[in-house]
């Protein structure tokens, strides 16, 4: 079992050019088991690799003579003004990367000025996460349901008490994916999971055991239950098909989150970006769409928004920034994406995020 003291204690500016640099540097800081858990995908990692590659299926058309200067990445979403339409994806156990864990990541995200999504499997309590981000910083809560509805009610009440503005039901992880790297490393969680401690500790457990302690049989009734008990918008995360859009919306979901769990669940499935096109057509503007999986560049953010996403969530890059620079490193990662997005917007002739939504991408016939 890895010891918590092996995690980084870093806090300060990080020197990197792109996300590949950041990941390579983080590999030297995060203990082997923790790094393998964070970085790896399922099976042969086909879907993990396709997530980034798929962005090349569409091309951004450069535009000139558009009278564009200093593009504005700010966006208004559900009553909050975000510095960019880029938010924190839910990621478990930030304490694997930095001893200050979610307290540092929430602080960095809040300083950047966007939404922080706390995981059920966080290394810190929701009280600690909210205090670190500040009461005015928008936070969502990602929910893994217990098999006990009494516990579910308690956790939802805790999330609402701590200012959660939405509940994100991760629906694509009812069983652990085939994470061979974790098995090779003999990885078990060295950290407690205080939010869900009523039904699992996390310490010494494999990922399969963690998922096995949660509810594995999800249905539309669960969406209705969460909406009723929390009185908050429910986003269904892991949607990749028209059928699942219909099922989620019929159950009362008020948001759709397109994701394949960063390629960590079903290997051999489609890249998340390829699914986004299909899901956006099915949603047809009825509810907001959040997108994640494989985002490593500002142009990826641009393409996702042009393809129907309202918000783009990033996960692994934030954890690498956390490992290398604590809250400062987290903020730098968001600044990186914002700066690249501004550059792409300028070259694509788009002044605002609303302009990106009207932009037309071109199919890549060279692949």
């Amino acid at each position: 079992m890895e010891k918590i003291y092996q995690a980084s204690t870093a806090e300060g500016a990080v020197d990197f050019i792109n996300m590949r640099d950041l990941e390579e540097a983080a590999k030297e800081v995060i203990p082997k088991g923790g790094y393998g858990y964070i970085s790896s995908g399922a099976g042969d990692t086909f879907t993990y690799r396709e997530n980034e590659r798929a962005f090349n299926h569409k091309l951004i058309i450069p535009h000139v003579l558009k009278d564009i200067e200093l593009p504005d990445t700010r966006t208004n979403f559900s009553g909050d003004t975000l510095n960019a339409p880029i938010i924190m994806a839910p990621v478990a156990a930030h304490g694997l990367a930095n001893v200050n864990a979610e307290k540092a990541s929430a602080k960095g995200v809040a300083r950047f000025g966007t939404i922080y999504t706390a995981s059920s499997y966080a290394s810190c309590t929701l009280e600690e996460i909210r205090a670190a981000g500040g009461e005015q910083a928008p936070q969502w809560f990602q929910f893994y349901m217990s098999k006990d509805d009494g516990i579910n009610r308690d956790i939802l009440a805790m999330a609402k008490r701590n200012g959660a503005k939405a509940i994100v039901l991760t629906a694509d992880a009812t069983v652990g994916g085939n994470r061979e790297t974790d098995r090779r490393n003999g990885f078990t969680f060295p950290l407690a999971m205080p939010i869900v401690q009523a039904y699992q500790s996390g310490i010494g457990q494999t990922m399969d055991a963690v998922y096995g302690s949660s509810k594995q049989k999800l249905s539309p009734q669960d969406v209705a239950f969460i909406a009723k008990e929390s009185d908050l918008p429910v986003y269904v995360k892991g949607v990749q098909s028209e059928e699942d859009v219909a099922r989620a919306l019929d159950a009362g979901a008020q948001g759709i989150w397109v994701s394949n769990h960063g390629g960590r669940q079903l290997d051999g499935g489609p890249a998340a970006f390829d699914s986004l096109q299909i899901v956006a057509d099915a949603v047809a503007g009825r509810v907001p769409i959040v997108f994640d999986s494989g985002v490593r560049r500002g142009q990826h953010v641009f393409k996702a928004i042009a393809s129907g996403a309202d918000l783009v969530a990033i996960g692994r890059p934030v954890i690498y920034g956390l490992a290398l620079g604590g809250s400062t490193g987290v903020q730098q990662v968001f600044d990186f994406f914002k700066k690249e997005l501004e550059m792409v917007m300028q070259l694509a002739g788009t002044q605002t995020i609303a302009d990106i939504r009207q932009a037309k991408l071109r199919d890549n016939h060279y692949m």
Side-chain angles (χ1 to χ4, degrees), residues 27 98 121 123 146 162 234 312 330 337-338 342 353 367:
K27 186 176 182 179
N98 191 293
Y121 298 153
S123 310
S146 164
N162 283 283
V234 179
V312 177
V330 168
F337 280 100
K338 179 179 181 291
E342 289 170 342
I353 299 303
M367 294 192 73

Side-chain angles (χ1 to χ4, degrees), residues 35-276:
Y35 177 79
Y37 166 74
I38 294 162
S39 65
S40 64
D44 295 321
T45 67
F46 168 81
T47 300
Y48 168 83
R49 288 179 280 110
E50 286 297 299
N51 274 341
E52 186 173 352
R53 182 175 177 271
F55 286 106
N56 292 327
H57 293 165
K58 295 287 185 178
L59 304 176
I60 301 169
I61 304 169
H63 286 290
V64 301
L65 305 179
K66 292 287 295 288
D67 196 26
I68 300 296
E69 184 179 21
L70 301 176
D72 186 358
T73 64
R74 289 174 299 176
T75 188
N76 293 313
F77 187 86
S78 191
D80 292 306
T81 299
L82 310 181
N83 204 14
I86 307 165
I87 71 172
M88 177 71 212
V91 179
H94 294 199
L96 294 172
N98 191 293
V99 294
N100 290 316
E102 286 82 4
K103 290 179 286 187
S105 52
K107 182 178 179 181
V109 171
R111 283 200 308 233
F112 174 78
T114 194
I115 295 167
Y116 183 92
T117 310
S119 170
S120 286
Y121 298 153
S123 310
C124 299
T125 66
L126 285 177
E127 288 80 6
E128 290 173 320
I129 295 169
R130 187 185 190 194
E135 292 196 3
Q136 300 307 310
Q139 293 188 1
W140 294 359
F141 177 65
Q142 175 264 348
F143 190 35
Y144 283 108
M145 293 190 76
S146 164
K147 298 170 184 176
D148 183 323
D149 277 344
I151 293 174
N152 289 328
R153 290 186 180 93
D154 288 345
I155 293 175
L156 289 170
M158 182 195 311
K160 190 168 183 179
R161 186 168 65 247
N162 283 283
K165 293 189 171 185
I167 304 297
V168 180
L169 174 64
T170 294
D172 63 353
T174 52
V175 65
N178 181 23
R179 304 187 192 178
E180 295 176 350
T181 299
D182 287 349
R183 297 212 302 275
R184 287 194 184 96
N185 291 334
F187 176 74
T188 60
F189 282 94
L191 307 168
M193 297 177 175
I195 295 171
V196 294
Q197 63 187 359
Y199 67 95
Q200 62 187 17
S201 71
I203 298 177
Q205 291 184 305
T206 64
M207 195 69 243
D208 286 343
V210 170
Y211 282 147
S213 299
S214 300
K215 187 173 185 179
Q216 295 177 287
K217 186 178 180 181
L218 296 177
S219 72
Q221 286 70 38
D222 293 306
V223 177
F225 172 89
I226 295 168
K228 178 182 177 183
E229 294 298 327
S230 69
D231 195 28
L232 291 170
V234 179
Y235 284 69
V236 175
K237 185 175 184 290
V239 176
Q240 296 190 74
S241 70
E242 305 98 317
E243 299 95 319
D244 288 352
V245 168
R247 222 176 346 260
L249 296 187
D250 288 348
Q254 294 185 46
I256 295 293
W257 193 310
V258 179
S259 171
N260 59 28
H261 218 96
R264 295 160 69 79
Q265 285 300 101
L266 179 61
D267 195 32
F273 182 66
D274 288 341
S275 296
L276 175 59

Side-chain angles (χ1 to χ4, degrees), residues 14 19-27 29-30 34-40 48 97 296 315-326 329-330 333:
V14 182
M19 292 299 103
R20 289 186 180 86
D21 291 347
L22 195 72
E23 181 170 357
E24 285 302 310
K27 186 176 182 179
V29 172
I30 304 172
Y35 177 79
Y37 166 74
I38 294 162
S39 65
S40 64
Y48 168 83
R296 298 295 184 271
R316 287 184 181 97
V318 180
I319 303 305
Y320 300 144
L322 173 67
L324 294 163
V330 168
V333 168

